[in-house]
Amino acid sequence: MLEIRWTEDGETRSARWRSANGSPPPARVVVADDRLAAATAYRLACEGTALLWRGDFQAARRLLRAMARRTERPPRRPAPSPADAFHRHRRDRAQWAVTLGRLLVPLGPDHAVHLRRAPDVRPACAEVYGPAAEPSVTSLRELLGIVGAHEWRRRGVEVPALNDRIHPHYGVFSPVRGEYVDLVARAPLGPLARAFDVGTGTGVLAAVLARRGVERLVATDRDPRAVACARDNLRRLGLAGRVEVLDADLFPPGRAQLVVCNPPWLPAKPASPLDHAVYDPGGRMLRGFLDGLGEHLEPAGEGWLILSDLAERLGLRTRADLLTAFADAGLRVVDRLWTRPRHPRAFDGTDPLHAARAAEITSLWRLRRT
C-alpha cells in the first residue's frame, strides 16, 4: 500500500495514497486552504509541491479551473509537421495532467470528503477504489473524473444503432464517437452462427451484432474494467445469454465466421486507463489482430477492422504501412465502408490537431484470407 506523508500542526501525518492510473504519491506536500492564491498554487504545483486541501470543496474546484487556465498557453511557434504537433500536444497534456494532479483532497474511511460544501462521492469512489477501511488522499482532478464517470455510468449513453443505452464504467472508453458503431450497424451481414468481438470495451459492438441477428458471440478484452463493463451492459440489454465475455488478450479459442476489432487508432504510449482505447504502443494490438486473424476465421469467414486514419493524417503511420500489414498477414480487402467524424473536436478550430481531425475518416475494412 502506497502512503502519502505531510506535516500539519507540527505533526508528521500519513494516509493511504489512491490513484486509479498508478501515479506515485507526491514527495512534497503542503496544507492549503481558501486563502491560497491561484498564482501561488500554480507555481507550487509546477515546482513539484502538492497541495492538500483543507478549505471549501467548491473553492478547490474553482482553484483547479484557475490553475488549468494558466496551462492553456498557445505554442510559441508552429510545429514543423503534424507528427511534431502531435508529440508536442501529448507532451504538454502530460505535463498539464501532472501539474493539475497536485491539488489533493482527503477521503475519510468510507470515501467521504469531509470538506465544506463537498458532495457525496462515496458511491462513485466505491465503484473505482472498492471498499475502504482507512483514510486516504487522492487528486481532486481524479476525484472529479470519477464522479463524472459515475454519472455517465448511471445515466448511460444513447446509442442510436441499438435504440438503447450503453453504460460506460470508469476507465472504459464511452461510445460517444458513434460513427464506428454506425459502420458496424450498416455493414453487409448475412445469417451467422458465431462471431468474435476482439477488444470489446463497453460491449457495444457485440451488442449491435447480437441485435443484428448473430446467434452467438464471444467478446474479449484484457482490461478487467472493460470485461466487467461489457458484462454489465450485455446483461442490461438482455443479451448475456448470447454473448460470452472473456478476459483475454486478443482472440478467444477457436474460429468464427466473423471477427470484429476496433483497435486503438494511434501508435503511441497511453498515460491513463482511458488512454488504452486511443493509444496502441507500436501498433501492438493492430498488428496482433491482423497477424492472428487468419487462423481464427472459418474458411469463408470475414474480419472487420474498424480504424480511424488519424494516425495517417498525423504522419504516425502511412496507408502503405497498413496495406502492407494486410498483405503480410495473408489478408485481402473485399470492401471498405467509411464515414467522416461527427464528434465536436473535429470542428474545434482551436485544437492544435484540428487540421488532421477535420480530415479524419473512419473505415470498416472487410478482410478475408488470401
Side-chain angles (χ1 to χ4, degrees):
M1 181 182 74
L2 295 177
E3 282 192 337
I4 180 172
R5 296 179 180 275
W6 70 97
T7 300
E8 187 172 4
D9 296 331
E11 297 180 358
T12 299
R13 302 186 183 184
S14 66
R16 178 173 181 171
W17 170 249
R18 293 195 184 276
S19 173
N21 65 7
S23 298
R28 297 196 305 275
V29 182
V30 297
V31 175
D33 58 26
D34 305 357
R35 296 169 293 180
L36 184 66
T40 303
Y42 181 67
R43 175 179 58 78
L44 289 170
C46 288
E47 292 170 352
T49 299
L51 312 168
L52 179 58
W53 193 253
R54 293 299 192 189
D56 179 82
F57 184 85
Q58 301 305 324
R61 294 187 62 174
R62 291 195 298 271
L63 176 62
L64 187 65
R65 290 194 294 269
M67 292 170 64
R69 287 193 294 271
R70 283 166 167 77
T71 68
E72 297 169 357
R73 298 170 181 169
R76 296 177 181 176
R77 62 180 70 87
S81 71
D84 289 316
F86 169 76
H87 292 302
R88 174 194 287 175
H89 178 62
R90 288 276 288 160
R91 183 185 65 246
D92 291 346
R93 292 290 295 180
Q95 184 56 52
W96 176 83
V98 169
T99 301
L100 298 186
R102 291 185 175 130
L103 182 56
L104 314 179
V105 289
L107 301 176
D110 57 352
H111 294 313
V113 178
H114 299 295
L115 299 174
R116 296 190 306 276
R117 295 198 296 164
D120 185 1
V121 302
R122 291 173 297 176
C125 287
E127 288 174 353
V128 176
Y129 297 140
E134 70 279 311
S136 60
V137 172
T138 191
S139 84
L140 176 60
R141 181 171 177 266
E142 175 167 300
L143 180 62
L144 295 176
I146 288 171
V147 171
H150 172 72
E151 289 303 306
W152 276 53
R153 178 172 176 174
R154 184 180 63 82
R155 294 194 303 264
V157 177
E158 186 69 32
V159 178
L162 285 173
N163 193 28
D164 217 321
R165 303 183 83 81
I166 286 290
H167 297 260
H169 292 196
Y170 179 82
V172 183
F173 195 73
S174 173
V176 289
R177 290 191 51 161
E179 58 264 24
Y180 76 94
V181 180
D182 293 342
L183 286 172
V184 172
R186 67 181 175 90
L189 184 69
L192 292 181
R194 181 173 166 86
F196 296 158
D197 176 20
V198 174
T200 193
T202 61
V204 63
L205 297 186
V208 168
L209 292 170
R211 287 277 176 89
R212 292 194 65 189
V214 177
E215 295 177 18
R216 302 286 299 179
L217 290 109
V218 181
T220 67
D221 208 294
R222 66 175 184 167
D223 182 351
R225 287 177 176 150
V227 170
C229 180
R231 287 173 177 165
D232 178 40
N233 280 306
L234 293 162
R235 176 189 57 79
R236 290 173 183 264
L237 295 168
L239 298 171
R242 293 171 54 197
V243 184
E244 180 183 12
V245 183
L246 299 180
D247 185 344
D249 188 5
L250 296 177
F251 300 94
R255 297 174 182 266
Q257 295 163 294
L258 175 66
V259 182
V260 176
C261 183
N262 175 36
W265 53 88
L266 293 175
K269 183 180 179 181
S272 71
L274 199 60
D275 276 359
H276 287 277
V278 181
Y279 301 104
D280 181 20
R284 187 203 74 91
M285 184 174 179
L286 174 60
R287 291 304 299 256
F289 172 72
L290 295 176
D291 292 344
L293 178 59
E295 64 185 79
H296 289 90
L297 283 177
E298 296 285 0
E302 196 164 285
W304 289 358
L305 172 67
I306 304 97
L307 190 66
S308 160
D309 71 351
L310 186 59
E312 299 172 20
R313 306 281 176 182
L314 293 171
L316 306 176
R317 181 176 59 233
T318 68
R319 178 57 55 90
D321 292 336
L322 183 63
L323 297 179
T324 298
F326 293 164
D328 290 347
L331 303 169
R332 61 186 175 91
V333 178
V334 296
D335 194 12
R336 171 177 164 258
L337 288 71
W338 60 273
T339 186
R340 293 198 177 275
R342 301 189 299 270
H343 58 90
R345 295 183 74 179
F347 307 97
D348 181 5
T350 65
D351 189 319
L353 307 181
H354 171 68
R357 294 193 197 280
E360 179 187 7
I361 289 175
T362 300
S363 299
L364 186 152
W365 298 87
R366 296 175 57 200
L367 306 169
R368 292 181 183 166
R369 289 187 292 182
T370 53

